[in-house]
Amino acid sequence: MGNEVDSMSEEFIKVGDLKTYSRRVNIKVKVLSKTEPREVTSRRIGSTFQIAEALVGDETGCVLLDLWDKDIEKFDEGDVISIRNGYVKLFRESMRLNIGRYGQAEKIEED
């Protein structure tokens, strides 16, 4: 059977359709800006991570994307990225898009 991805998982939504706590988000966005990485320490496990915030958007709006560790260097301003199986959470009263452990993000050739 090869790739067992159901048709729902291939549906892309727009930034304007994101809701707080959306799950299994497939979206294509452009990176408008990106902060310098900073170091954070997990209270839960005590490990240190790098995080940067990217302002991403499409024709319907903008949202902050949290980029962790290896994903920070993968994407730059002006890149269009496709995120599959991402999720949205609320952090400091702001909606944040996340790639997450089970999500994937890649640079694509699109406007």
Side-chain angles (χ1 to χ4, degrees):
M1 282 205 208
N3 193 355
E4 294 186 16
V5 176
D6 64 31
S7 60
M8 284 289 289
S9 67
E10 288 302 308
E11 225 174 87
F12 285 87
I13 66 170
K14 297 291 185 184
V15 171
D17 297 327
L18 291 175
K19 308 248 183 308
T20 309
Y21 307 112
S22 292
R23 296 280 179 252
R24 293 190 286 282
V25 172
N26 296 325
I27 195 165
K28 294 176 184 175
V29 290
K30 184 172 189 170
V31 179
L32 305 173
S33 65
K34 186 171 90 172
T35 64
E36 286 297 314
R38 67 181 193 282
E39 215 168 75
V40 294
T41 302
S42 166
R43 287 187 217 127
R44 215 175 65 224
I45 59 175
S47 295
T48 302
F49 302 95
Q50 293 283 317
I51 185 171
E53 295 171 347
L55 181 64
V56 299
D58 61 21
E59 65 276 7
T60 66
C62 295
V63 67
L64 288 171
L65 169 66
D66 289 336
L67 295 172
W68 294 87
D69 295 323
K70 65 182 180 353
D71 287 332
I72 295 171
E73 297 305 315
K74 274 172 70 174
F75 308 112
D76 292 310
E77 282 183 32
D79 288 347
V80 176
I81 60 178
S82 169
I83 298 171
R84 293 185 193 308
N85 201 28
Y87 66 94
V88 177
K89 70 176 185 178
L90 203 58
F91 180 72
R92 294 188 180 157
E93 299 179 27
S94 162
M95 227 169 52
R96 303 292 180 111
L97 180 60
N98 283 267
I99 299 164
R101 182 178 306 145
Y102 304 108
Q104 298 175 323
E106 64 183 357
K107 195 181 329 184
I108 58 173
E109 298 298 322
E110 244 180 72
D111 276 337

